[in-house]
Amino acid sequence: MMKRKDQREEDTWRLEDLFETDELWEKELSAVESALPVLTGFAGRLGNSAGELKEALDYFYGLYTRLDRLVVYASQRSDEDTGNGFYQDMKMRVQSLAVRAQEAAAFLVPEILGLEEMQVQQWLREDRGLALYGRALQDMMRKKSHVLSREQEELLSSAREVGQSSNIFNVMNNADLKFPSVKDENGEEIPVTHGSYVRLLESRDRSVRKAAFESVYGTYGQFGNTLAATFAANVKEAAFFAKARRYSSARAYFLDDANVPEQVYDSLISSVHQNLPALHDYVALRKKLLGTDELHMYDVYVPVVDVPDKKYSFEEAKQVVFDGLEPLGDEYRSILKEGYENRWIDIYENEGKRSGAYSWGAYGTHPYVLLNYQENLNDVFTLAHEMGHAIHSYYSGGNQPAVYAEYKIFVAEVASTCNEALLIRYLLKKSGDAEERKYLLNHFLEKFRGTLFRQTQFAEFELKAHEKEAKGETLTFEALCSLYLDINQKYFGPSMEEDQEIGREWARIPHFYTPFYVYQYATGFSAAIALSDKILEEGQTAVEKYKEFLKGGCSKDPIDLLKTAGVDLSTPEPVDRALKVFRELLEEFKSLI
């Protein structure tokens, strides 16, 4: 596999837009470290006047903007090659500084909550500068019962540095785990990596799929006890912080950050359960089309229609995405083009590079996108997906002050999956070939299966794992595999063989280390289906409402932001509507075959 130093510059992201050199990063790290005592110097003064409260908040958000840039630079340098000790050290040092910054700021929220609410309201009316922070101050008041004393907040901030389960998993998963190679259709030895795994599962040769499946899950099985202990530590950490902040559960704690009712989570699982017969129908159809007596989990990704494998160079992928997003208008696509031309994107896999794909950035600079591009249609959609994140951040950061620029995770997947929904509709509309249309319909059905169904399956597993911990049950490797296998079988239904290896799948899912995150892929996908329908049906009017949502950051609760664009996720309607589309697509697919 290619080493990082051998990547072409034009195929890599330009992190110099954050810091031109590592030396400048070091200088800024020292400067931010030196600024922490200034922040603590505001302690005890917030109640003196509106002016002092505003000055403290200005300094806090200014300092955290600088710290955020430090974190993003070090983390993304480390992600270029997770085996690079120099950047691993940088990442760990800035993470340590971030913990100390949390400690320095620990007085802020408790002291604000100690102020008389009537006094704060009066200051907000009288001081236009402080009024900028009105929503943030009101959100603090909403969480008043969950905020601790200054000393306790400092202790909680320090405790975060102890919990390193996420870092342990990431290093082990990306730098240390090595999978046995397999032979491809031509008998040639092929390395199995995080980046190549799905591509191998798409192989027409079943023996290749099976070998790749066993290579990956056999390896995870060898480290099962360690991975279970790491996962369990993360679950216990979530429970600890939830209890410390007086929440009834870890789920209640994590959902409250965006003021999302727990009923939204339960309603999602309930709606999907009611529609599992449609998924079982699709799985049974897949088995029939593959013409196999038994359907295994390694048969899930291979296309079930006979069309030539088509490869997309990255240049072709960029053009397809650009054309597919035409309904979003010239302004939106000009931002997309800027990202293409100004090296926002790190494109190809290299040895030690973090697996998967993401978009990230710091306030005041453009966003970045990490890919491990493999030239297949799935990765074309990944480009559209991650650029959706990036452009959401671009709009949000360009239209909101630092205090409201970072949108909540609950809406983080809406823009990305809206891009995907528009792209698949473009490709279906463009296709005049019946065989190609079958392929695209299969691909769209797979998006539903892989996002709405699969992420809800993950969410159900995560909820039950956390509930087990809350009951005092031990999260052993065997217990976690058994739980996961049972849920997997419920979702895939009677046509799927019970492959024991798939019980280990939980062990390779990085998002479980951000507790109660994955359900938002499913709710976001549902919102994206609704929004893409509105954009295609209503045109510019819907586009303008959608862009207002993109510009909103966290200036409103995320459910309220989506309502402004015409989608209400406080009801089951968007999820039920998306599942109805799945059933309609499935019927069209059946009619074509």
Side-chain angles (χ1 to χ4, degrees):
M1 184 187 296
M2 182 185 295
K3 294 186 180 297
R4 182 66 189 184
K5 63 182 178 61
D6 297 324
Q7 291 274 23
R8 298 190 311 166
E9 182 180 75
E10 58 266 36
D11 293 333
T12 64
W13 50 22
R14 192 170 61 207
L15 296 186
E16 291 81 2
D17 293 346
L18 288 166
F19 289 97
E20 194 170 338
T21 65
D22 293 341
E23 290 73 23
L24 289 173
W25 182 91
E26 293 284 358
K27 184 177 180 180
E28 177 69 350
L29 184 79
S30 297
V32 169
E33 188 172 22
S34 300
L36 295 184
V38 179
L39 179 60
T40 57
F42 286 103
R45 295 164 45 194
L46 304 186
N48 291 349
S49 67
E52 289 217 48
L53 178 56
K54 177 185 178 299
E55 186 182 356
L57 290 171
D58 286 346
Y59 195 85
F60 170 79
Y61 284 105
L63 187 63
Y64 268 71
T65 296
R66 296 168 66 188
L67 179 61
D68 192 35
R69 189 177 289 204
L70 288 165
V71 169
V72 170
Y73 179 84
S75 297
Q76 294 191 168
R77 282 296 187 205
S78 175
D79 288 348
E80 292 174 349
D81 180 358
T82 56
N84 186 316
F86 178 80
Y87 287 122
Q88 279 285 331
D89 178 67
M90 282 180 66
K91 179 180 176 180
M92 293 178 69
R93 283 191 292 130
V94 75
Q95 286 177 337
S96 177
L97 177 60
V99 170
R100 281 180 281 146
Q102 287 181 323
E103 294 170 358
F107 74 92
L108 199 64
V109 174
E111 192 168 323
I112 288 172
L113 293 180
L115 303 176
E116 290 291 335
E117 193 166 348
M118 289 183 63
Q119 178 67 75
V120 174
Q121 294 298 333
Q122 182 181 341
W123 284 349
L124 288 171
R125 288 191 298 270
E126 295 173 352
D127 191 309
R128 293 182 62 184
L130 183 63
L132 169 70
Y133 298 104
R135 170 170 163 74
L137 291 168
Q138 289 165 5
D139 201 43
M140 289 181 198
M141 296 295 179
R142 180 179 67 80
K143 300 174 184 175
K144 188 170 184 176
S145 63
H146 302 292
V147 177
L148 311 180
S149 69
R150 176 181 175 178
E151 292 77 13
Q152 290 171 319
E153 289 289 342
E154 288 176 349
L155 187 61
L156 280 185
S157 295
S158 299
R160 290 194 180 278
E161 194 168 16
V162 177
Q164 293 290 317
S165 55
S166 177
N167 282 342
I168 293 169
F169 171 78
N170 283 332
V171 171
M172 181 179 183
N173 197 45
N174 292 294
D176 293 342
L177 281 184
K178 304 295 182 186
F179 307 118
S181 60
V182 300
K183 290 185 177 180
D184 68 5
E185 298 87 342
N186 302 314
E188 296 180 6
E189 205 79 12
I190 298 293
V192 180
T193 67
H194 293 290
S196 68
Y197 178 55
V198 172
R199 179 170 55 83
L200 289 165
L201 290 185
E202 292 174 343
S203 170
R204 298 289 188 184
D205 189 326
R206 200 179 196 202
S207 66
V208 174
R209 303 197 301 269
K210 185 174 187 291
F213 182 80
E214 292 174 346
S215 169
V216 167
Y217 289 113
T219 302
Y220 280 102
Q222 292 173 19
F223 298 94
N225 293 326
T226 300
L227 288 162
T230 307
F231 177 84
N234 189 261
V235 173
K236 287 180 181 295
E237 181 183 337
F240 166 77
F241 283 103
K243 184 178 180 180
R245 292 203 175 280
R246 309 187 191 102
Y247 284 91
S248 60
S249 66
R251 185 177 74 165
Y253 170 43
F254 284 96
L255 266 62
D256 189 51
D257 178 61
N259 202 20
V260 175
E262 290 187 81
Q263 177 57 31
V264 171
Y265 200 105
D266 293 329
S267 178
L268 168 68
I269 294 175
S270 176
S271 289
V272 169
H273 279 185
Q274 291 171 25
N275 285 272
L276 283 178
L279 179 60
H280 297 168
D281 192 14
Y282 175 56
V283 172
L285 179 62
R286 170 170 283 273
K287 178 179 179 180
K288 180 179 179 180
L289 291 174
L290 287 175
T292 179
D293 292 335
E294 293 183 350
L295 187 73
H296 291 270
M297 288 302 299
Y298 48 78
D299 299 321
V300 164
Y301 291 95
V302 60
V304 291
V305 291
D306 292 326
V307 294
D309 289 333
K310 183 174 181 180
K311 290 189 175 183
Y312 296 81
S313 71
F314 192 67
E315 288 302 314
E316 289 172 328
K318 290 192 298 183
Q319 188 62 49
V320 168
V321 172
F322 186 82
D323 293 342
L325 299 184
E326 184 178 8
L328 291 173
D330 292 340
E331 179 186 280
Y332 188 96
R333 293 202 300 169
S334 70
I335 301 168
L336 177 66
K337 190 175 181 182
E338 181 180 340
Y340 287 169
E341 295 176 350
N342 291 305
R343 289 179 55 205
W344 292 10
I345 308 170
D346 201 81
I347 303 169
Y348 298 111
E349 186 178 18
N350 58 249
E351 187 175 307
K353 184 177 175 180
R354 175 172 167 162
S355 64
Y358 67 72
S359 173
W360 198 18
Y363 183 73
T365 65
H366 64 76
Y368 290 92
V369 166
L370 178 140
L371 300 176
N372 283 276
Y373 190 72
Q374 298 285 330
E375 297 193 336
N376 55 43
L377 182 59
N378 189 63
D379 282 3
V380 177
F381 279 95
T382 299
L383 173 63
H385 182 101
E386 297 304 336
M387 289 306 292
H389 283 307
I391 296 174
H392 190 178
S393 297
Y394 184 94
Y395 270 119
S396 180
N399 290 275
Q400 296 293 334
V403 60
Y404 304 125
E406 188 173 348
Y407 47 81
K408 295 293 186 180
I409 292 174
F410 186 78
V411 295
E413 297 304 323
V414 173
S416 53
T417 46
C418 184
N419 273 11
E420 288 194 79
L422 290 171
L423 179 58
I424 190 68
R425 282 167 167 82
Y426 162 77
L427 291 171
L428 283 168
K429 183 178 180 180
K430 180 185 172 186
S431 174
D433 179 78
E435 292 302 309
E436 182 181 42
R437 187 170 183 82
K438 288 184 215 173
Y439 180 89
L440 290 168
L441 281 167
N442 177 54
H443 185 85
F444 204 8
L445 287 165
E446 280 299 294
K447 285 296 177 183
F448 277 85
R449 186 198 61 77
T451 305
L452 185 46
F453 287 104
R454 178 175 169 82
Q455 300 302 326
T456 304
Q457 177 186 337
F458 285 174
E460 186 172 351
F461 166 78
E462 186 175 19
L463 176 61
K464 289 186 176 181
H466 281 260
E467 287 175 342
K468 281 180 174 292
E469 193 283 330
K471 294 175 185 176
E473 298 180 26
T474 304
L475 299 180
T476 63
F477 181 63
E478 291 77 13
L480 289 167
C481 290
S482 177
L483 173 62
Y484 192 92
L485 187 61
D486 287 346
I487 295 173
N488 189 78
Q489 202 61 30
K490 175 170 66 178
Y491 275 69
F492 281 89
S495 296
M496 180 64 71
E497 295 298 312
E498 192 173 285
D499 295 312
Q500 295 297 311
E501 293 95 337
I502 201 62
R504 304 167 187 169
E505 186 173 35
W506 61 268
R508 60 179 286 261
I509 308 301
H511 281 119
F512 285 152
Y513 289 84
T514 305
F516 298 99
Y517 179 101
V518 293
Y519 85 99
Q520 295 160 120
Y521 282 107
T523 54
F525 184 88
S526 301
I529 294 297
L531 286 167
S532 62
D533 283 346
K534 287 179 179 293
I535 288 165
L536 292 172
E537 292 168 6
E538 301 171 17
Q540 192 61 30
T541 301
V543 169
E544 292 305 318
K545 288 181 180 179
Y546 178 59
K547 288 196 294 188
E548 285 306 307
F549 157 72
L550 297 179
K551 294 173 184 177
C554 61
S555 59
K556 295 180 182 178
D557 285 339
I559 284 182
D560 292 333
L561 278 172
L562 281 170
K563 285 178 182 177
T564 66
V567 174
D568 187 358
L569 275 170
S570 65
T571 72
E573 194 277 332
V575 178
D576 289 340
R577 172 59 190 161
L579 291 163
K580 181 174 181 290
V581 171
F582 176 80
R583 295 194 301 272
E584 291 169 351
L585 289 167
L586 181 56
E587 289 307 311
E588 182 182 355
F589 186 53
K590 285 181 179 179
S591 71
L592 286 175
I593 60 172

